Amino acid sequence: DIWWRMQNDVHFNTIAEQFEQNVYGSSKGFIRWHVLWEDVLTELPQLEQGGLSVLDAGGGAGRMTLALAKLGHRVTLVEPAKEMLEKAQHSAASENLSDIIFINEALQDFKAEQPFDIILNHAVLEWLAKPQKALEHLTKQLKPSGYLSLMFHNRNAALFKNILAGDFSPKFLQEESYSSGWQEHTRPLYPETVTTWLDECRVQVQSKAGIRIFHDHITEEKREGKLSQLLALEKTLRKREPFASLAQHIHIVGQKL
């Protein structure tokens, strides 16, 4: 069993290399990273200036952590899977990035000594047994007027993909049902559910974008030689409805009131 669970959360111990290859060593990972990174920098232009305290909560092998450290930020990476954290530490050392704090802990257990200017939480909530509680805990670590960058697996996309695959069962309309394939253990979330949680946490949504809208519905044969064109299209339409709400992931940037 490659999944290690703590209170029904899913952590990626023993499969760091496999997970990284599946996420970032593929065309879907290429699209995800470039669209997300552009949206983060567009919605949080202050990141270009450096000098902020940033928490990357559940940041895995540290791709986003390293990118922000290179911009001159003081980044804390909290990751429960030790193997993933060690991979991030190795990458940081190889690039001589020293202003990073690495903490091997579940985000629900992490308590900051000082609140952060910006918190990132990307593709984590869907792996947790109690995502709302985790989000509540996380936003308490944010400064007043600080910003949250939140990305989560979109239930609309999971439903759409299953229907296109020929599964017309109404079970996927239920909140407790899971998606299939690699992410069969995830709990995709409806965007309106997450925005309600954010309201309750006194985080005001500033922007919403769809991350990887079209890629998964296009065959590899049709994508071949056209990945740069597809990326440009994904970037262009990431905020346009109805496309954004059908993306594999939803990226929300919000400000704490």
Side-chain angles (χ1 to χ4, degrees):
D1 186 2
I2 64 172
W3 310 102
W4 177 73
R5 293 164 179 269
M6 177 180 290
Q7 296 179 345
N8 294 320
D9 291 350
V10 179
H11 299 165
F12 299 99
N13 284 326
T14 76
I15 60 163
E17 197 65 40
Q18 181 183 357
F19 184 77
E20 280 291 288
Q21 182 62 30
N22 183 75
V23 174
Y24 292 118
S26 62
S27 59
K28 69 177 184 180
F30 175 84
I31 296 291
R32 167 174 154 171
W33 167 255
H34 286 282
V35 178
L36 176 60
W37 183 237
E38 177 162 310
D39 203 57
V40 166
L41 293 182
T42 298
E43 298 303 327
L44 298 170
Q46 62 269 44
L47 285 173
E48 297 278 15
Q49 307 303 317
L52 299 175
S53 61
V54 182
L55 170 64
D56 190 1
R63 178 174 287 234
M64 188 67 70
T65 290
L66 269 61
L68 292 170
K70 289 175 185 176
L71 291 177
H73 300 289
R74 304 178 303 279
V75 188
T76 298
L77 171 58
V78 175
E79 170 56 47
K82 186 177 181 181
E83 185 180 338
M84 298 286 270
L85 195 69
E86 289 174 348
K87 191 175 179 66
Q89 289 173 306
H90 177 77
S91 297
S94 67
E95 298 193 43
N96 296 313
L97 296 172
S98 58
D99 202 11
I100 303 174
I101 297 172
F102 298 93
I103 299 177
N104 185 206
E105 195 170 34
L107 69 88
Q108 302 97 315
D109 299 324
F110 172 71
K111 293 184 179 180
E113 292 183 8
Q114 298 291 333
F116 292 90
D117 296 307
I118 294 175
I119 293 178
L120 312 175
N121 186 239
H122 296 159
V124 176
L125 289 187
E126 59 264 30
W127 299 100
L128 303 181
K130 298 179 180 178
Q132 184 178 8
K133 292 292 184 182
L135 190 59
E136 289 173 0
H137 177 75
L138 200 59
T139 55
K140 289 177 182 177
Q141 320 298 315
L142 194 60
K143 289 181 180 178
S145 299
Y147 288 89
L148 172 69
S149 171
L150 180 69
M151 185 177 78
F152 55 91
H153 189 186
N154 178 17
R155 178 165 289 278
N156 290 322
L159 174 61
F160 194 55
K161 186 181 291 187
N162 279 304
I163 291 172
L164 291 182
D167 191 337
F168 309 135
S169 169
K171 68 181 181 180
F172 293 110
L173 295 173
Q174 301 168 13
E175 286 281 0
E176 63 270 18
S177 66
Y178 301 163
S179 59
S180 58
W182 168 263
Q183 294 183 323
E184 64 179 318
H185 296 276
T186 65
R187 299 170 176 84
L189 301 165
Y190 285 118
E192 56 268 29
T193 299
V194 177
T195 54
T196 297
W197 294 348
L198 290 171
D199 285 343
E200 293 172 359
C201 294
R202 293 187 56 76
V203 173
Q204 186 175 62
V205 173
Q206 303 288 303
S207 69
K208 169 190 167 185
I211 309 298
R212 214 169 78 231
I213 303 167
F214 307 107
H215 173 279
D216 294 19
H217 306 300
I218 303 171
T219 63
E220 185 175 351
E221 180 183 9
K222 290 182 179 179
R223 292 196 307 264
E224 188 174 355
K226 298 181 180 179
L227 196 57
S228 61
Q229 292 173 266
L230 177 58
L231 175 60
L233 187 65
E234 295 265 9
K235 286 181 176 180
T236 299
L237 296 179
R238 71 181 190 271
K239 295 185 184 300
R240 188 180 302 180
E241 295 294 356
F243 309 114
S245 290
L246 290 174
Q248 179 72 10
H249 287 85
I250 299 295
H251 178 229
I252 288 175
V253 173
Q255 184 175 29
K256 187 171 182 179
L257 300 176

